[in-house]
Amino acid sequence: MNRDLDESPIGVLTSGGLDSCILVGHLLATGHTVQPFYVQAGLVWEAAEFAAVGRFLAAIASPRLKPLVALQLPVDDLYDGEHWSLSGRGVPDAKTPDEAVFLPGRNALLILKAALWCQMRGVRRLALAPLGSSPFADASPAFFSSLQATLNCGGAPHLKIEHPFASSTKQDVMQLGTRLPLELTFSCIDPRGELHCGSCNKCAERQAAFRCVGRLDSTVYAERSFDELPRPMTA
């Protein structure tokens, strides 16, 4: 491992979910210095999610893991106040397709805030963890390439946006996390306090992710009634 790899930090947008937490752990395991970011937008699950991020990062503490940076980017002036992500009403349940959880502009907003932080502080790489099978246009290589080009206009320090799981399946990514405390991650969009609800779209996806690698899911769910519900591995 060369010194540039060891000492030059790579920013990682860390949601607290399986994929982004595995990305942090994988980068640390392969010798990178990691600067994690969490962007707070005012969504209903963020208090539980942010707490989980802190627990996970504490559990994998390393001299190469920088302190978590929390950035504020509220969206209540963009989304309708009745939107399920703000109101907590009508949250997509386990039977809904992945498209039901789409949040307009989500990746653009997350990346812009963290990218500007990186450019102002000399961090030249920013990574996030969408899979190539994601159904969302703002998780495509073309989207990231275009946004990267925009960010690097106007004399700003050059930043590379990376999406290292773009050619990976959910099973591939879960296998990278074999030695990580994935029970500390958080994937729910309708939490009960700090517990996973067990009935939303993302909880169903989480259970399917553990099943796809034959790993015990020790997550505590408020309810758990869809263990056998088939879920596509898209996120």
Side-chain angles (χ1 to χ4, degrees):
M1 202 71 66
N2 61 47
R3 288 183 62 82
D4 287 341
L5 183 59
D6 287 338
E7 297 179 2
S8 298
I10 177 170
V12 179
L13 281 163
T14 312
S15 70
L18 291 166
D19 298 339
S20 65
C21 286
I22 289 171
L23 178 57
V24 171
H26 177 64
L27 289 171
L28 289 173
T30 51
H32 293 78
T33 296
V34 175
Q35 173 60 72
F37 295 99
Y38 184 87
V39 180
Q40 296 173 315
L43 307 180
V44 293
W45 57 85
E46 286 181 353
E49 192 175 67
F50 185 67
V53 171
R55 289 191 291 269
F56 178 83
L57 294 178
I60 63 167
S62 161
R64 287 180 285 100
L65 180 61
K66 301 290 188 181
L68 178 67
V69 171
L71 300 171
Q72 309 299 315
L73 191 62
V75 296
D76 57 331
D77 56 348
L78 296 175
Y79 295 177
D80 185 301
E82 294 303 307
H83 193 277
W84 61 267
S85 65
L86 295 173
S87 69
R89 295 186 292 274
V91 174
D93 66 20
K95 297 179 181 179
T96 59
D98 288 316
E99 288 79 3
V101 300
F102 177 68
L103 296 174
R106 177 70 167 166
N107 276 347
L109 293 170
L110 296 177
I111 292 169
L112 284 171
K113 190 84 179 195
L116 290 171
W117 190 101
C118 289
Q119 288 180 311
M120 294 176 69
R121 292 164 177 80
V123 176
R124 300 300 180 89
R125 302 162 66 198
L126 177 64
L128 59 166
L131 306 185
S133 55
S134 172
F136 306 128
D138 67 352
S140 68
F143 172 81
F144 295 129
S145 178
S146 296
L147 188 54
Q148 176 180 289
T150 300
L151 286 164
N152 291 328
C153 289
H158 188 273
L159 177 74
K160 183 179 181 183
I161 297 174
E162 302 183 1
H163 38 103
F165 293 163
S167 60
S168 300
T169 66
K170 191 71 169 191
Q171 185 172 13
D172 293 334
V173 173
M174 288 294 290
Q175 288 172 339
L176 287 177
T178 298
R179 298 182 180 276
L180 294 173
L182 298 184
E183 68 279 1
L184 299 179
T185 63
F186 194 84
S187 313
C188 179
I189 52 177
D190 193 20
R192 307 292 187 261
E194 292 191 356
L195 293 182
H196 288 74
C197 71
S199 58
C200 73
N201 176 288
K202 302 304 285 186
C203 281
E205 180 183 286
R206 179 182 181 87
Q207 289 194 15
F210 281 102
R211 287 199 302 271
C212 81
V213 290
R215 178 168 173 171
L216 175 67
D217 179 9
S218 58
T219 305
V220 178
Y221 296 94
E223 60 181 275
R224 187 166 180 161
S225 58
F226 52 82
D227 289 45
E228 301 307 318
L229 190 71
R231 294 287 299 174
M233 294 291 95
T234 58

